[in-house]
Amino acid sequence: MPRVTEAHRDARRAQIRAAALRAFTAKGYQRASISDVVAESGLSAGAIYGHYEGKRALFAAVAEEVLSRRGTELEAAARDGVPPSPVEVLTLLMGGMTRDIQDNRVIVQLWAESTVDDMIHDVVQEVVSAIQGVLHGALRAWYATRPDLCAGDPDAAAELLLPVMLGLAQGYLVQRAMLDDFDPDRYLRSAAAVLPR
Amino acid sequence: MPRVTEAHRDARRAQIRAAALRAFTAKGYQRASISDVVAESGLSAGAIYGHYEGKRALFAAVAEEVLSRRGTELEAAARDGVPPSPVEVLTLLMGGMTRDIQDNRVIVQLWAESTVDDMIHDVVQEVVSAIQGVLHGALRAWYATRPDLCAGDPDAAAELLLPVMLGLAQGYLVQRAMLDDFDPDRYLRSAAAVLPR
DNA sequence: GTCTATACGGAGATAGAC
DNA sequence: GTCTATCTCCGTATAGAC
């Protein structure tokens, strides 16, 4: 299999995903039509359908790409250097989201879609599980440096903190997407006040 | 204006809202059609449109009803009896949600819709603001009984905790709607480990 | 692989009788 | 106020040429 062709194919697919993300971000996933993606990509409907089965598959692919990056980033940060504290982990995750997509309304739309579309559900399920795994590892590493806080059992401490860490991240994203007067710094100060440090 | 007629009108509107909630819950807001609401209500399309402008207005009305109840419940709990602790407040709110709607997928769908539909946005915005107000009051009342935890300033302490309390509630709802293996008790234990008590 | 043009289906909303 | 029947729009997806 000629690798040039393969690379070209992947590049085109990436181009389509990028266009889809722009369209979904601008209009919202439900309201964005395939025509919007077409317009955004500079290609045609036929071209899109040649690479993705349809709008749902496109959303799944984009979601996989964006969410996976959070796991990758966190893993990298946890690997080299001092283990980040819970608040630093939260800040890192939220900063990454903001970097990838302007506002994060589309993330909330993704969650909603995952409650009703099986294809989306499966992708989100898988990637979020992966993120939880990485998150667990990061927290465990940090607790290991703070034996005073975990009674010598970093693993159990990380396990206990995990749902709240995920929940605080989700709360941040919901509020940022939904509330007119959301204040990111205030939210992080609030989180810092309750999280171990 | 004859009050019997007025009462009948309100009853019918409540009947329609209840039918809409069932339809939205069963199929998801986007996928539920007006026909579904019609079928669920036992009425006709014409009857529905005689009382509500359309699907969006219906969702807004249902959302207003369900969310407002959270504020009312919390206010009642905070008023009579011992001020509930943060974890108790969280448990109360989540219990109320579960009572009103089986799973809470439709809540996440509501948030998503609020990021893209102005009518929904305005309603959610208003009701969530009200809930935050009540929440603030409840937390302040609790802190007032625990001066050791707030350095004598219950108001500031409540203000600081507010975003996290809201975020933890939202995280609970997202995870419950989205994750196959969500464990409510585990989430609450996790929250109890970080929240002041 | 990609384009243009179009078929198909479904959903929200309305008309008009009762 | 409510019903039946229907209209109209719009979005997804495909057909067929290049």
Side-chain angles (χ1 to χ4, degrees), chain B residues 9 12 44 47 51:
Chain B
R9 181 175 171 80
R12 176 120 298 180
S44 68
H51 289 278

Side-chain angles (χ1 to χ4, degrees), chain A residues 52-77:
Chain A
Y52 287 98
E53 280 183 16
K55 194 179 159 183
R56 299 166 58 211
L58 210 33
F59 198 29
V62 170
E64 211 276 333
E65 185 176 25
V66 171
L67 290 185
S68 293
R69 198 147 12 186
R70 298 291 82 72
T72 313
E73 283 176 3
L74 180 54
E75 202 165 25

Side-chain angles (χ1 to χ4, degrees), chain B:
Chain B
M1 200 175 288
R3 78 175 47 178
V4 194
T5 299
E6 191 69 12
H8 277 170
R9 181 175 171 80
D10 283 356
R12 176 120 298 180
R13 285 169 64 94
Q15 171 190 0
I16 293 173
R17 284 197 304 276
L21 178 55
R22 284 196 299 277
F24 296 162
T25 305
K27 288 199 160 187
Y29 170 67
Q30 294 279 358
R31 303 199 166 188
S33 65
I34 288 290
S35 307
D36 292 321
V37 179
V38 167
E40 198 73 47
S41 69
L43 298 174
S44 68
I48 307 282
Y49 281 96
H51 289 278
Y52 288 98
E53 280 184 17
K55 194 179 161 184
R56 299 166 59 210
L58 210 32
F59 198 30
V62 170
E64 211 276 333
E65 186 175 25
V66 171
L67 291 184
S68 293
R69 200 151 6 189
R70 298 291 83 72
T72 312
E73 284 175 2
L74 180 55
E75 201 164 25
R79 197 173 42 238
D80 38 56
V82 187
S85 70
V87 189
E88 287 166 344
V89 167
L90 200 58
T91 307
L92 177 82
L93 289 175
M94 300 301 95
M97 276 300 187
T98 308
R99 207 178 315 115
D100 274 10
I101 50 184
Q102 300 82 333
D103 56 47
N104 41 348
R105 312 211 308 273
V106 74
I107 296 291
V108 180
Q109 292 160 17
L110 175 69
W111 295 340
E113 202 59 21
S114 85
T115 67
V116 75
D117 181 323
D118 279 340
M119 184 188 297
I120 306 291
H121 173 89
D122 291 348
V123 170
V124 171
Q125 189 72 25
E126 194 172 352
V127 186
V128 171
S129 287
I131 291 181
Q132 280 188 286
V134 176
L135 193 48
H136 184 106
L139 294 175
R140 187 179 46 218
W142 179 77
Y143 270 120
T145 71
R146 306 293 307 275
D148 52 315
L149 287 176
C150 59
D153 192 345
D155 199 74
E159 180 94 8
L160 179 61
L161 192 58
L162 194 51
V164 155
M165 282 295 290
L166 192 62
L168 285 177
Q170 290 159 334
Y172 181 102
L173 295 172
V174 176
Q175 291 182 35
R176 177 164 167 73
M178 212 173 58
L179 302 182
D180 295 336
D181 60 348
F182 177 69
D183 180 343
D185 290 334
R186 184 184 169 204
Y187 190 95
L188 290 176
R189 273 195 312 257
S190 184
V194 299
L195 289 173
R197 59 202 150 82

